[in-house]
Amino acid sequence: MDILGVRVDDVTHDEAVTRCVALVEDPQPRYVVTPNPEFVVLARRDGRFRSILNASDLSTPDGGGLLLAARLWGTPLREQVRGTDLAYLLVEEAVRRGWRLFLLGAAPGVAEEAARRLQQRYPGLEIAGTFAGRAGPEGDAETREAVRRAGRCDVLFVAYGVKRQEEWIARNVPQLDVGLAMGVGGVLDFMSGRVRRAPYVVRRLGIDWLFRLLMQPSRIKRQGSTIPVFLFLALREALRRRTGRSPA
Ligand code: UDP
């Protein structure tokens, strides 16, 4: 489905995992993206970012705003497949299948702590390596070296935040022995226990974004500059569809 220029796949959690398994097994390095309204607004302003998202091997609807837009347009998506949930499902799959997992990004020490906690929670999980590195191109050579030293990485989580992580993947993953890469945003912060994830009920109510805002108020500037734009565009598109005019 096209959401204001960004391709999103209408998958359930099970379908997303099945697709990821096939992608890991494919000999080419592949990548998954998990768009939310912020991704969509940034992609409208940056054609290169939009191309990276649209060339992905799987694109799951992470943000509730995307499901709201799809419903407004009369073409609802089946499930909200959040990046954080998909990341944990892939960790479980890694344990089952003996995949080797590499954790890249976040603040120094966070990926190591996330690895330690994951191994406690999922005995038998194989961590190929961890590295904070730098998100920009100046850090690429050093990070590629660190990932290569770890040997084959079936799954690579990249935590550099929206856009930078997808750009990192596009620049580097084709040159690495990686099965499947995924930009995971703040997931390593959750996995390390440094940031609390919204409780299950809050997620079910669809207000996990509000919980995250309360936990990390500094995010308000970013979200305040993208979410209203997304809602405006979604409503305008709904109106266009009703009046039968062609989309922007
Ligand atoms: N991050 C990083 N380097 C950067 C920018 C971000 O390591 O240059 C990390 C940050 O520490 C956090 C993660 O990227 O662990 C996700 O950041 P954010 O909360 O902005 O993610 P998003 O909102 O995109 O999920």
Side-chain angles (χ1 to χ4, degrees):
M1 170 166 192
D2 181 312
I3 304 233
L4 303 168
V6 173
R7 191 198 94 232
V8 175
D9 299 321
D10 182 18
V11 284
T12 62
H13 288 80
D14 286 348
E15 288 165 0
V17 172
T18 304
R19 174 101 182 114
C20 287
V21 170
L23 293 171
V24 171
E25 286 170 1
D26 188 277
Q28 294 292 319
R30 303 285 185 178
Y31 67 97
V32 186
V33 296
T34 59
N36 62 25
E38 194 177 353
F39 280 62
V40 173
V41 172
L42 293 175
R44 284 178 76 89
R45 296 178 185 156
D46 179 345
R48 162 117 183 97
F49 181 47
R50 189 170 60 237
S51 308
I52 295 173
L53 294 178
N54 290 342
S56 70
D57 300 288
L58 175 66
S59 171
T60 75
D62 169 273
L66 269 55
L67 279 93
L68 180 71
R71 214 176 325 133
L72 270 178
W73 303 339
T75 49
L77 290 159
R78 284 176 297 162
E79 287 182 20
Q80 180 177 2
V81 182
R82 291 179 175 86
T84 306
D85 291 326
L86 184 58
Y88 276 105
L89 289 169
L90 290 180
V91 169
E92 285 170 20
E93 213 53 48
V95 178
R96 259 195 293 278
R97 295 176 183 269
W99 289 344
R100 306 181 75 243
L101 181 65
F102 196 105
L103 308 181
L104 174 65
V110 171
E112 286 81 352
E113 183 59 19
R116 206 180 55 76
R117 287 211 177 198
L118 284 175
Q119 283 180 315
Q120 250 168 21
R121 181 168 162 189
Y122 302 98
L125 172 66
E126 207 179 326
I127 301 286
T130 60
F131 196 65
R134 282 172 296 167
E138 71 286 354
D140 285 0
E142 188 194 12
T143 305
R144 278 201 305 269
E145 193 43 44
V147 177
R148 284 200 185 109
R149 264 201 310 275
R152 162 79 180 171
C153 301
D154 298 294
V155 175
L156 169 69
F157 287 160
V158 184
Y160 286 139
V162 54
K163 194 156 109 95
R164 292 214 223 175
Q165 60 200 13
E166 285 76 23
E167 289 170 345
W168 190 94
I169 289 171
R171 288 196 308 272
N172 295 286
V173 164
Q175 306 171 50
L176 294 169
D177 185 12
V178 163
L180 182 66
M182 174 174 168
V184 292
V187 169
L188 298 190
D189 295 326
F190 298 142
M191 287 176 167
S192 70
R194 292 212 182 177
V195 177
R196 198 171 148 213
R197 197 182 173 202
Y200 181 71
V201 242
V202 175
R203 301 204 297 266
R204 278 306 298 251
L205 289 171
I207 50 168
D208 38 325
W209 56 273
L210 183 62
F211 181 89
R212 208 166 165 207
L213 208 57
L214 293 172
M215 297 304 262
Q216 297 171 287
S218 56
R219 299 172 67 87
I220 195 143
K221 209 170 137 210
R222 254 176 58 184
Q223 297 199 342
S225 69
T226 50
I227 292 176
V229 177
F230 180 85
L231 289 176
F232 168 77
L233 293 170
L235 285 170
R236 193 178 67 176
E237 176 65 16
L239 214 65
R240 274 215 174 91
R241 290 184 185 215
R242 286 227 173 137
T243 55
R245 286 166 57 192
S246 56

